[in-house]
Amino acid sequence: MGNVMKAVYFSLAEAAYSAGDISQTVIQNADKAQNKIKFTKDNVAGVQLTNFTMHSEGGDVYQLTGLGRGGTTVTKCKETAQKALNLLVELASLQTSFITLDEAIKVTNRRVNGIEYVIIPRLENTIAYVIEELDERDREEFYRLKKVQDKKKEKSTDCDSALIPLL
């Protein structure tokens, strides 16, 4: 980008040297913008990215600028400036996409950290609690079954002891 801008300024200096001061001519011919920028939105992995594209409207109003003297250097200056403008639009598009993706990455990292450090530990604690409760119920059930078996044995021995004297 630095080399392109250096070439633009050098080309402008060449045009000013060969054709004189063309700024008044440029200002007089500039009623409306010749180059316009449109933007489109692209969806990349769920993120809306803005892309800029430049297009030219109408004819070249600066076609006759520098006709008296230095016409080729003025044309060369205009072409160099047009290339620089195209490069600036592309750079703006890339920079906007970069900033948007950076924000999306930050949001995603916050979500990942929230899941990793908040939600997963809560779920692990809940799972540990449920496992403890189920183990406690199993122990209680085992104890209850042992008591029931002991009572049945006790009843059967009582019944057996009651039946034995009758014989």
Side-chain angles (χ1 to χ4, degrees):
M1 188 67 208
N3 290 336
V4 172
M5 294 308 288
K6 190 188 305 183
V8 168
Y9 284 119
F10 187 73
S11 177
L12 182 61
E14 283 179 337
Y17 178 74
S18 64
D21 187 23
I22 58 170
S23 60
Q24 291 301 319
T25 309
V26 171
I27 292 172
Q28 287 174 0
N29 289 333
D31 355 342
K32 64 177 188 172
Q34 184 178 355
N35 296 316
K36 295 195 178 181
I37 296 175
K38 288 188 178 182
F39 70 94
T40 58
K41 295 269 187 180
D42 289 337
N43 188 357
V44 176
V47 179
Q48 295 288 328
L49 297 179
T50 304
N51 289 328
F52 299 114
T53 54
M54 189 176 69
H55 67 282
S56 298
E57 287 184 355
D60 186 11
V61 294
Y62 304 110
Q63 197 170 21
L64 301 177
T65 304
L67 189 61
R69 58 189 171 127
T72 57
T73 55
V74 171
T75 305
K76 180 183 168 194
C77 178
K78 185 182 106 180
E79 289 171 357
T80 309
Q82 188 69 32
K83 288 178 187 175
L85 188 59
N86 287 336
L87 192 60
L88 281 172
V89 169
E90 185 179 339
L91 184 64
S93 179
L94 290 173
Q95 187 174 11
T96 304
S97 296
F98 174 74
I99 290 170
T100 305
L101 284 174
D102 188 43
E103 288 298 318
I105 287 170
K106 285 179 185 176
V107 168
T108 302
N109 282 340
R110 281 195 292 268
R111 287 179 182 163
V112 167
N113 286 340
I115 289 171
E116 186 176 348
Y117 294 112
V118 176
I119 294 176
I120 290 176
R122 281 184 192 167
L123 291 176
E124 286 174 347
N125 289 340
T126 304
I127 289 170
Y129 175 76
V130 168
I131 288 172
E132 280 182 29
E133 288 297 316
L134 290 174
D135 288 344
E136 183 67 28
R137 281 189 184 176
D138 285 345
R139 285 191 290 274
E140 287 174 0
E141 184 68 19
F142 182 73
Y143 180 76
R144 189 183 63 77
L145 287 174
K146 282 293 188 182
K147 280 295 190 182
V148 168
Q149 283 179 350
D150 287 346
K151 289 232 183 221
K152 281 185 180 178
K153 279 185 185 178
E154 205 175 283
K155 265 190 181 180
S156 68
T157 55
D158 284 345
C159 287
D160 288 344
S161 63
L163 290 176
I164 293 177
L166 293 172
L167 290 174

